[in-house]
Amino acid sequence: MKKIILLGASGSIGIQSIDVILQHSDKFEIVALSCGRNIIKLKEILTMISIEHVCVQLKEDYLYLKEEYPNIHFYYGDKGILEMLDMDAHIVINAIVGFAGLAPTLKIIQTKKVLALANKESLVVGGELVKKALQEHDGKMYPIDSEHSAIFQALQGNNKADILKLVVTASGGSFRNKTREELKGVSVEDALNHPNWSMGNRITIDSATMMNKGFEVIEAHYLFDIAFDNIEVLMNTESVIHSMIHYVDHSFMAQLGTADMRLPIQYALSYPNRLPLKMSDILDLAKIGTLHFKEVSYERYPLLKLAYEVGKRKGNSGAVINAADEVCVELFIRGEITFLDIEVIIQRCVEEMPYIEHPSYSDLYQSDIRTREYVYQLVNKGA
Ligand code: MG
């Protein structure tokens, strides 16, 4: 029986993780979970599984829940999550969204638990710190991101040294058929309508700008230790090929499947084994008939190009680009900036925020806060 701590339980990955774990209740058991402010969802979860340790974001929710559920040990806030991570467990699923996932990632590694990572920001923002922690503590990190799980699966039975290139596939997001001119007037509703995947709001907008793909390139760099020049992005319109490895003998190993995150979640938990998985939709290539591929244009997706630059530059640049993106997506969803403003503002933040070559965690934390403030400044000035 593997004990699992689930961080970010009320989000899209969190809910699907619970589904996977309940399908294998003879092998996995959730011993603790965290959720943000969605207490309605939390209560729903508590009817599905019995659990002894729960962390919520706000103190007021903590005080009220403590009364309502006297048998559960509650924690609150960012510190509460770190405190909860001291308990005994085999695997931690980190499905927290955004910068807030970095400190838990480091703590998971320090406390010698297997890290099943869905929080890509941990690597975008703090890739160097995570790498160092993994080396120091002989840590284990498995990806929960469809592209990286595909690469991880295509790597089995092969040597990392024989990789020529990683080919990360991209759907192109909700506006892939629009020109830049046509992007000027797009609405929030249209942006949230992804052609292949049903995901959380932020990642859906990030798919439309390809900021998400850029973050995934950085993520791939840290997960598999491959130079940025050897990571390619390729459009696969159908999202059937989840990513590939191009080996030195020019063999391409790909992983295919439907757009269902439960597979990457389960593989991170069951690795190196595979387990049966109940799915409503199984890949039917005869029905799909044709797969389409296209080169990605940096002119069409400038944030993808920027992510490569940020990745190579290292330092606090990842913290800056991530914070700028988090705030811009929020402002776009609230209707306060346009879709194309997202790119302009993120670009300016990366160019204009002070660079720190070897940032500590607290430098990254400060960069995150200062960048957020800078975005609001730019928006208020009408930049
Ligand atoms: Mg992905």
Side-chain angles (χ1 to χ4, degrees):
M1 199 73 164
K2 287 205 171 135
K3 291 181 187 168
I4 295 173
I5 298 176
L6 173 59
L7 305 181
S10 59
S12 168
I13 295 289
I15 296 298
Q16 295 179 81
S17 298
I18 293 171
D19 181 55
V20 165
I21 291 162
L22 288 178
Q23 284 195 34
H24 303 286
S25 51
D26 56 327
K27 292 189 172 62
F28 306 120
E29 173 197 18
I30 302 178
V31 293
L33 62 79
S34 83
C35 85
R37 299 169 185 210
N38 194 344
I39 302 305
I40 295 171
K41 198 87 210 173
L42 171 65
K43 287 185 159 186
E44 234 173 80
I45 293 169
L46 293 177
T47 63
M48 291 155 63
I49 50 175
S50 78
I51 196 152
E52 281 170 25
H53 298 264
V54 173
C55 184
V56 292
Q57 188 61 43
L58 302 175
K59 189 174 181 184
E60 62 218 60
D61 291 331
Y62 157 84
L63 291 171
Y64 145 80
L65 288 163
K66 231 168 59 149
E67 299 294 316
E68 182 133 340
Y69 298 90
N71 295 326
I72 297 178
H73 185 112
F74 283 96
Y75 309 74
Y76 71 92
D78 297 343
K79 276 199 179 130
I81 293 181
L82 299 182
E83 199 188 318
M84 194 171 76
L85 284 171
D86 276 323
M87 65 183 288
D88 181 45
H90 299 100
I91 306 173
V92 185
I93 299 175
N94 185 354
I96 291 172
V97 178
F99 178 85
L102 174 59
T105 281
L106 295 170
K107 177 84 189 231
I108 294 160
I109 298 168
Q110 283 154 10
T111 53
K112 301 210 177 279
K113 298 173 183 73
V114 172
L115 169 61
L117 186 67
N119 173 261
K120 63 188 72 169
E121 293 86 349
S122 287
L123 296 176
V124 172
V125 174
E128 292 296 317
L129 292 182
V130 173
K131 193 165 131 182
K132 202 168 139 233
L134 285 167
Q135 283 164 355
E136 263 173 34
H137 300 277
D138 196 18
K140 288 194 171 62
M141 168 170 70
Y142 304 137
I144 299 185
D145 197 341
S146 60
E147 294 78 1
H148 306 81
S149 178
I151 292 168
F152 188 44
Q153 292 178 58
L155 187 58
Q156 300 310 311
N158 293 287
N159 292 322
K160 236 188 210 172
D162 296 331
I163 296 175
L164 191 63
K165 285 188 172 182
L166 301 181
V167 183
V168 177
T169 52
S171 68
S174 36
F175 298 139
R176 63 189 181 195
N177 297 322
K178 290 195 187 322
T179 61
R180 290 196 62 79
E181 188 57 32
E182 287 167 335
L183 287 176
K184 280 182 182 161
V186 294
S187 71
V188 177
E189 290 70 32
D190 292 341
L192 286 175
N193 192 13
H194 194 282
N196 302 337
W197 291 86
S198 154
M199 307 178 286
N201 280 354
R202 180 179 178 211
I203 193 166
T204 305
I205 304 295
D206 281 346
S207 295
T209 60
M210 276 226 197
M211 186 75 276
N212 179 57
K213 207 48 60 181
F215 286 171
E216 288 181 347
V217 167
I218 299 175
E219 194 185 358
H221 167 79
Y222 284 108
L223 277 164
F224 304 108
D225 197 21
I226 300 292
F228 283 98
D229 290 337
N230 295 331
I231 305 174
E232 276 174 8
V233 175
L234 174 72
M235 295 254 271
N236 170 216
T237 319
E238 291 81 11
S239 296
V240 163
I241 293 189
H242 292 319
S243 278
M244 299 183 262
I245 300 178
H246 179 177
Y247 285 102
V248 284
D249 58 359
H250 303 300
S251 173
F252 285 70
M253 300 287 283
Q255 187 263 335
L256 287 69
T258 54
D260 192 326
M261 283 308 293
R262 286 175 301 178
L263 172 61
I265 292 167
Q266 177 168 293
Y267 192 68
L269 301 180
S270 68
Y271 174 82
N273 303 308
R274 289 187 184 273
L275 293 171
L277 179 61
K278 281 187 213 112
M279 275 187 190
S280 51
D281 191 20
I282 295 163
L283 183 63
D284 183 344
L285 285 173
K287 211 160 125 191
I288 293 166
T290 316
L291 297 179
H292 295 84
F293 300 95
K294 213 167 101 183
E295 220 179 333
V296 177
S297 151
Y298 282 159
E299 285 71 49
R300 173 63 182 74
Y301 294 104
L303 289 181
L304 178 61
K305 184 168 181 241
L306 186 67
Y308 272 94
E309 289 166 15
V310 161
K312 288 179 186 175
R313 202 184 299 176
K314 296 194 161 71
N316 64 331
S317 307
V320 171
I321 195 171
N322 175 66
D325 181 64
E326 279 188 36
V327 181
C328 283
V329 168
E330 224 178 272
L331 291 172
F332 171 67
I333 289 175
R334 293 212 304 255
E336 290 174 36
I337 62 173
T338 69
F339 185 75
L340 288 178
D341 286 340
I342 299 175
E343 292 171 357
V344 175
I345 295 170
I346 293 176
Q347 202 112 30
R348 281 198 60 179
C349 287
V350 170
E351 278 163 21
E352 293 165 23
M353 293 304 289
Y355 178 69
I356 305 168
E357 198 178 352
H358 297 292
S360 63
Y361 176 81
S362 91
D363 292 330
L364 294 175
Y365 187 82
Q366 290 303 326
S367 294
D368 178 82
I369 292 175
R370 293 212 183 102
T371 305
R372 284 164 197 272
E373 288 165 359
Y374 193 57
V375 172
Y376 283 106
Q377 253 182 55
L378 290 174
V379 171
N380 291 335
K381 271 195 274 174

